[in-house]
Amino acid sequence: MLSFNKQKKSSNESKTPEVIDQPISQTTAYPEATAQADAIDAIKPIRAKKDTFVSNGAQFTGVIEGDGNIIIEGRVEGNVICTHMVRVENTGYVKGEIRAQQIMINGAVEGRCYADSLSIQPKGSIRGDIFADEISIEKGGVFIGQSQQMQKVQAEQGKVTPFKATVNSVEDGSHQEPLSNKQAK
């Protein structure tokens, strides 16, 4: 902030105007202004979570974890864990476990799916188990496997959210039982 001294000067003083170079600090002059600025910063929306894409023609092996949406148009061999929505497009293929609040499948999935709601769209197919509270299969969609309500799975595992739930099983689908003290000796 610049201010000029507009007072009339005597003729023997220099004719250059005086400039005050130091701006007034908001914290010293207006303490309530900084409180308002802090409140405005607190109200600003948090950055929107961006989508994660596996594009058509791309191949990914491993675990994908994301906070936003995950859209798969390519090939994924591994687990997909998401806090919001996983969408497998018609060119997409997933071989592994998918965990999310909402799963939409219009491509091919081989493996288990854990979700609050799961939708198999016309070009979608699942070969595996579904653990979800809501399942919809549109005309043309294919489901080969077993389904179970998510609430039952959560009760068995101690009220775990669908994308953090874990199931102790062996590759062939049988459950492992812990050894008792007599068997361990």
Side-chain angles (χ1 to χ4, degrees):
M1 175 187 262
L2 299 174
S3 64
F4 294 96
N5 188 358
K6 294 185 180 185
Q7 296 175 349
K8 290 193 174 190
K9 299 182 183 194
S10 62
S11 60
N12 34 350
E13 287 183 14
S14 72
K15 294 189 178 185
T16 59
E18 292 180 28
V19 177
I20 301 173
D21 289 335
Q22 299 175 355
I24 299 173
S25 171
Q26 279 188 334
T27 56
T28 57
Y30 309 106
E32 67 277 350
T34 56
Q36 261 184 339
D38 291 341
I40 290 171
D41 287 341
I43 295 173
K44 285 182 182 175
I46 299 172
R47 257 194 293 173
K49 295 178 181 171
K50 299 203 176 200
D51 293 345
T52 301
F53 287 92
V54 176
S55 65
N56 191 4
Q59 292 185 6
F60 183 86
T61 302
V63 177
I64 299 176
E65 291 188 40
D67 286 340
N69 299 327
I70 298 176
I71 294 103
I72 299 169
E73 295 175 347
R75 183 177 182 90
V76 174
E77 291 192 23
N79 297 341
V80 179
I81 302 168
C82 178
T83 58
H84 192 253
M85 182 180 68
V86 172
R87 210 169 68 210
V88 180
E89 296 294 343
N90 61 349
T91 58
Y93 172 79
V94 176
K95 184 174 184 176
E97 196 172 271
I98 301 176
R99 294 177 182 268
Q101 285 182 343
Q102 182 180 6
I103 300 174
M104 295 175 63
I105 298 171
N106 204 21
V109 174
E110 289 184 36
R112 292 184 171 179
C113 294
Y114 297 85
D116 291 336
S117 109
L118 184 135
S119 172
I120 302 172
Q121 296 177 333
K123 294 182 181 176
S125 69
I126 295 180
R127 180 179 294 270
D129 298 334
I130 296 175
F131 300 91
D133 291 331
E134 297 176 15
I135 299 172
S136 70
I137 303 173
E138 294 182 26
K139 185 176 180 179
V142 178
F143 171 49
I144 300 170
Q146 297 180 0
S147 66
Q148 186 175 349
Q149 283 188 324
M150 190 58 160
Q151 294 169 349
K152 290 180 184 178
V153 174
Q154 288 176 344
E156 290 172 7
Q157 296 179 354
K159 301 280 184 180
V160 181
T161 57
F163 46 88
K164 296 292 181 184
T166 58
V167 176
N168 296 326
S169 64
V170 185
E171 290 285 326
D172 64 358
S174 63
H175 292 287
Q176 272 185 319
E177 295 295 324
L179 295 175
S180 66
N181 288 338
K182 289 181 183 177
Q183 291 174 338
K185 292 181 181 178

